[in-house]
Amino acid sequence: MKTSTFVYPWDVNGDPGAPDRIAALGVDQVTLASAYHSTRALTPRHPRRRIVTAEHAAVYYPTDGRWTARELRPYPAGDWAPGDAYGEAAEALRGAGLEVHTWVILAHNSRMGAEHPATSVVNAYGDRYPWAPCIAQPATRAYLTDLAAEAAVRPGAAGTELESLGWYGLQHLHAHDKTAGVPLGDAGQYLMALCFCPACRAGYGEQGLDSDELATAVREALEPLWRGTADDTGWPTVEKLLGEPVAAATRAWRDGQARTLQETAVAAVRAAAPEGFQVLLHADPVAYHCGANAGVDPAHILAVADGVVVPCAGGTALLAPFAEHAPVDTVLAANFGVVSGMGGSPATLAADAERARQLGATELRLYHAGLASDGDLAAVREALR
C-alpha cells in the first residue's frame, strides 16, 4: 500500500533535518500544503519555534497573472509561509527521495468572507458564515476553479488532493468555537447549511420553491432540534421536517451546484497539469454532507477524479460506498490520524491499514508528521516496516 503523510511548509523550512526525518518514516510521498485556511499549529521538533499562527487563508507560493484586476483573488501568506514557501519545502522533500503532491484547501476562507461578505453562505436566520464561501455564486466558482488549477499544479508536483471542494456549513469549527453545546446531527447540520444568498434564493426558485417560505420552513424545522425534542436520524428527519418534495428540491439545487463545481475544477486542474498527474478529492460518500470532506455521489466523483481520500479516524466504514463503485485503477486513500493528542491511534495503524486495504484502499494517508510526538512517529515507523 502506497503511503503518504500530510506536511506544511513550516514543518520543513528552517529545519534541515525534517526531510530525512519524514523519509525515515517509510512513507513514499508527502502531501504538502500549497493553499490552506487559517490555523494554529504546533511544531514540536523545529529548531527555532514551537507555534505557527497562520492568520488567514493563503497560498504558499507566488501567484501568476490570472488574478490581475480580479476582486476575488488568493491572499499571500504572512511570515508563517513567506515567498515561495511551498516551493522551498517541496525541493527539500524531493531531495530526500520523496514524491511531492499538493494539498489545496478551496471553499474554506474566513478572510474572504470578512472582506467580501456577500460571498458567504447565509443561513435561514440571515446569519452569514464568513468561513464558508457559497459555491453557487458565479464569481466564487470562477475563483475556486482557478485557485484549484494554480495551487494544485506546482512545479515538480506529481499530483494533488483537493479539500473542501463542495458545500461548507456550520461544522469544521471557527476561532474559539462555542457550538458544541447543542448536538446537531446530520439533519440539523444540513438545515443550518442551507444557503439563502441571492444566488441560492434564485436557485431554489428554479426548483419551484419560494425562498422566503423555505427559510421560514427551515427555521420551524430547526426548533425541535434546538430544544432537543426530536430525534435526528439524518436525511429521513430532513424529509419529515420539511416535507419530501421540499427536501428533494433543496437537494436538487445543492447537489447540482456541487457536482458541476467539482467537474469544472478537476477539469481545470487536468488542463494545467502534465500527463499522469493524479487528482484526488477529499470526500464523504453522503452527498448532502458539508465540510472539508465534500459530500459527493460515489459513482459520480469516481468518474470525474482519479480517486478520493476518505477520513478514517472513526473506522473505515466510509470507504465501503466508494469501493462499491471504484474501477480497478481508482485510488481509494484512507486518511488516518497518527497524533495521539488529536484522537489518532498510531499504535493500531497496521491493523487499521489492513482493514482499509481489504475494503479496497490502495493508498494510506497519515495526518500528520509535523505534529506527531516522537512516540507517535516511532509507532508509525514500526507499522510501516
Side-chain angles (χ1 to χ4, degrees):
M1 183 179 288
K2 182 180 180 182
T3 56
S4 176
T5 185
F6 293 100
V7 177
Y8 300 105
W10 55 76
D11 293 325
V12 178
N13 297 342
D15 183 358
D20 288 337
R21 184 168 61 246
I22 294 170
L25 291 174
V27 297
D28 309 294
Q29 169 194 318
V30 293
T31 307
L32 176 64
S34 60
Y36 206 74
H37 55 68
S38 56
T39 191
R40 183 181 66 162
L42 189 65
T43 56
R45 281 172 297 281
H46 200 279
R48 295 205 311 266
R49 61 170 177 261
R50 286 295 175 269
I51 295 291
V52 171
T53 304
E55 297 174 354
H56 57 76
V59 294
Y60 301 155
Y61 57 85
T63 57
D64 62 26
R66 76 186 70 198
W67 305 104
T68 301
R70 291 174 63 170
E71 185 177 18
L72 301 183
R73 67 186 73 176
Y75 298 99
D79 59 5
W80 66 91
D84 191 9
Y86 168 87
E88 179 184 345
E91 182 178 2
L93 291 162
R94 283 193 294 269
L98 293 162
E99 184 177 291
V100 178
H101 291 214
T102 54
W103 180 15
V104 181
I105 310 301
L106 293 165
H108 184 186
N109 190 330
S110 54
R111 181 170 175 180
M112 188 170 80
E115 295 188 3
H116 304 282
T119 65
S120 300
V121 166
V122 181
N123 70 21
Y125 300 90
D127 308 315
R128 292 190 181 276
Y129 296 166
W131 60 90
C134 175
I135 66 167
Q137 297 183 19
T140 302
R141 292 168 72 86
Y143 162 80
L144 293 173
T145 298
D146 281 346
L147 177 61
E150 183 186 65
V153 188
R154 304 313 305 157
T160 192
E161 295 183 22
L162 305 177
E163 183 176 317
S164 58
L165 182 54
W167 288 100
Y168 228 78
L170 179 64
Q171 63 275 67
H172 204 281
L173 306 184
H174 194 48
H176 295 281
D177 201 62
K178 301 290 183 181
T179 63
V182 180
L184 289 175
D186 278 1
Q189 292 289 357
Y190 180 78
L191 293 170
M192 284 297 289
L194 287 176
C195 182
F196 289 86
C197 75
C200 285
R201 283 178 172 271
Y204 299 138
E206 294 171 8
Q207 299 298 322
L209 300 178
D210 180 284
S211 60
D212 289 333
E213 292 178 359
L214 175 61
T216 299
V218 170
R219 294 192 296 269
E220 292 175 351
L222 280 161
E223 278 305 307
L225 300 178
W226 295 133
R227 296 194 304 269
T229 57
D231 292 333
D232 189 335
T233 60
W235 188 249
T237 298
V238 177
E239 292 181 320
K240 177 181 178 181
L241 293 173
L242 289 184
E244 290 186 19
V246 172
T250 64
R251 282 286 300 276
W253 165 246
R254 290 172 63 82
D255 289 1
Q257 292 301 301
R259 284 188 177 196
T260 53
L261 175 63
Q262 290 154 6
E263 291 167 351
T264 302
V266 171
V269 171
R270 292 201 194 283
E275 186 176 354
F277 190 87
Q278 185 187 72
V279 183
L280 303 183
L281 187 73
H282 287 216
D284 185 311
V286 182
Y288 67 88
H289 281 180
C290 300
N293 302 292
V296 299
D297 173 76
H300 170 259
I301 203 61
L302 294 179
V304 173
D306 296 318
V308 294
V309 180
V310 181
C312 291
T316 53
L318 292 181
L319 276 168
F322 290 109
E324 292 175 5
H325 298 279
V328 174
D329 59 350
T330 293
V331 173
L332 300 182
N335 179 6
F336 289 98
V338 294
V339 180
S340 295
M342 295 176 66
S345 183
T348 63
L349 180 59
D352 290 341
E354 175 58 23
R355 283 195 292 273
R357 187 196 64 76
Q358 291 173 357
L359 281 170
T362 57
E363 298 192 7
L364 177 68
R365 297 289 183 271
L366 308 177
Y367 186 82
H368 68 85
L371 185 58
S373 68
D374 288 347
D376 290 341
L377 292 183
V380 169
R381 289 190 192 94
E382 183 65 26
L384 296 183
R385 280 184 179 178

